[in-house]
Amino acid sequence: MFVEVSGQTLGLSEKHYWRAPGSSRSETGHARPPGKLRPTTTIYPAGKPGIEIDFAKKTYRRRAPLLGKESPFMMFESLKQYSGQADRELGTRKIDGVEASGFELDAKKIDPDAYSGRVEIWLDTRTDLPVRIRYDFKGAKPPGTLTLRDFHWNEKIDPELFDASPPKGFTDVTPEPPTLEKQVADITLALRNYSTLLGGHYPQAKIVYGDVTRDEMFEAIGIQRVPATLEQTRTDEYVKAVEAGLGFARLNALFRENPGFAYHGLSVGPNDKDKVLVRWRLDDGRYQVLYGDLRTESVSHERLHELEAN
């Protein structure tokens, strides 16, 4: 299948392709400056390393394979199940020549860890598959709108679109992956700063989204708009919120890439020193663990099972 995506205030336009059993391709144009697109294509062959290609700069970056989980928003075939939780029925109408029925609900009914905001979903009355989705995420700083439209289901897609080979003549700018020590340090700093600014608890979520978490921290220190004022950027609280961003980005990447990742912030806090807050699988089969008090160690699968059973 493929679908077009556009974002009001985000300054982007995208086209996404998916091919069973799990390959994906995203073609993105970023408006930098407004009105001028910088084309980027990101490809993930199913279960294999991906690639991000910047056609303007003629560079590419290798990407880790997507072996973890994905947001419920991306499970398009399952959106019909949320119609029973609708806040408002929208009736039926023709969309791009397709008879569609619509409903509206808050985004958190689909993904409790996403930005709050109205989601409008239109489904083909024959197949129950999406025809159009509109998401007004009012909780973001700044707020915006994401629209998915022009869905094409069960189309024949050229397998070559999912070839992650770098284009000839392009330069490899893949950064060195962080060491385990650096990864742990960034995540620990982010969680500690969040707990400091949010009254002694970690993100209350199953999925830690970097942008959502950042805006929660900004809200907690009184920043209502981004960019912040010059005076606000000079505060210690602002610095803590900003420096936490890298660690939460690393958590989000582990969620998408690491099949052994789990985050237990809904039940584990800073006082739960012997409970597992975060864990992910290492290349040698062991697991890296961060406890509630942010101590860290690498443990065997058997030891992890014992820890999480308590």
Side-chain angles (χ1 to χ4, degrees):
M1 64 161 288
F2 67 90
V3 60
E4 291 187 359
V5 182
S6 62
Q8 179 186 342
T9 76
L10 296 179
L12 60 82
S13 177
E14 301 181 355
K15 182 174 286 189
H16 290 267
Y17 300 81
W18 289 269
R19 186 173 188 267
S23 296
S24 66
R25 175 188 179 100
S26 300
E27 299 173 355
T28 306
H30 295 278
R32 297 177 181 173
K36 293 187 178 181
L37 296 180
R38 194 185 78 184
T40 302
T41 294
T42 305
I43 301 169
Y44 287 101
K48 297 178 181 180
I51 189 170
E52 179 186 302
I53 306 168
D54 187 322
F55 287 95
K57 294 184 177 180
K58 294 188 178 298
T59 59
Y60 67 91
R61 297 183 180 211
R62 301 290 188 180
R63 293 286 191 176
L66 299 180
L67 302 177
K69 304 177 182 66
E70 63 180 352
S71 165
F73 269 117
M74 302 305 294
M75 301 176 187
F76 297 128
E77 297 94 330
S78 302
L79 291 178
K80 168 67 175 177
Q81 67 178 302
Y82 299 103
S83 60
Q85 303 177 47
D87 298 321
R88 186 163 71 101
E89 298 291 340
L90 302 176
T92 60
R93 66 182 176 96
K94 281 281 184 77
I95 296 180
D96 298 329
V98 176
E99 189 74 19
S101 62
F103 62 95
E104 179 183 298
L105 74 171
D106 189 273
K108 287 186 173 293
K109 291 186 177 181
I110 300 174
D111 185 347
D113 304 319
Y115 284 117
S116 62
R118 182 178 68 93
V119 179
E120 187 178 295
I121 298 174
W122 291 90
L123 305 175
D124 187 321
T125 55
R126 295 177 300 106
T127 65
D128 286 334
L129 294 173
V131 176
R132 185 166 296 176
I133 301 169
R134 179 185 170 95
Y135 176 18
D136 295 319
F137 41 99
K138 302 303 184 186
K141 301 183 189 321
T145 299
L146 186 67
T147 303
L148 293 84
R149 61 179 183 275
D150 197 21
F151 282 85
H152 293 259
W153 295 91
N154 301 316
E155 297 275 345
K156 289 185 178 180
I157 299 179
D158 186 351
E160 292 299 315
L161 287 175
F162 306 97
D163 181 0
S165 302
K168 290 183 179 180
F170 281 51
T171 303
D172 186 353
V173 294
T174 307
E176 284 292 322
T179 64
L180 178 59
E181 291 75 15
K182 173 63 173 169
Q183 199 174 29
V184 169
D186 290 339
I187 292 171
T188 300
L189 177 64
L191 291 167
R192 181 176 292 115
N193 285 3
Y194 184 99
S195 175
T196 299
L197 296 179
L198 270 292
H201 66 80
Y202 301 125
Q204 304 289 283
K206 290 183 179 179
I207 307 174
V208 181
Y209 295 116
D211 50 357
V212 175
T213 307
R214 175 207 64 193
D215 289 345
E216 286 179 359
M217 298 175 78
F218 283 161
E219 187 78 23
I221 61 177
I223 296 176
Q224 302 300 322
R225 294 187 178 185
V226 175
T229 65
L230 181 60
E231 183 179 355
Q232 288 171 328
T233 63
R234 291 171 173 167
T235 65
D236 290 341
E237 291 84 0
Y238 179 85
V239 172
K240 287 183 182 297
V242 171
E243 69 182 3
L246 179 57
F248 287 127
R250 296 206 190 283
L251 279 178
N252 194 228
L254 287 168
F255 170 80
R256 300 173 68 237
E257 298 168 1
N258 193 292
F261 174 80
Y263 173 75
H264 301 299
L266 287 171
S267 57
V268 177
N271 294 325
D272 299 310
K273 73 171 191 174
D274 294 321
K275 291 186 178 180
V276 176
L277 173 63
V278 187
R279 49 93 159 169
W280 64 94
R281 194 166 70 193
L282 303 175
D283 291 341
D284 62 6
R286 294 180 302 154
Y287 285 79
Q288 190 66 31
V289 170
L290 268 71
Y291 296 97
D293 64 354
L294 300 182
R295 288 181 301 114
T296 183
E297 67 173 329
S298 300
V299 301
S300 67
H301 182 271
E302 292 74 21
R303 176 56 179 157
L304 176 68
H305 181 73
E306 293 175 3
L307 290 168
E308 294 189 326
N310 295 332

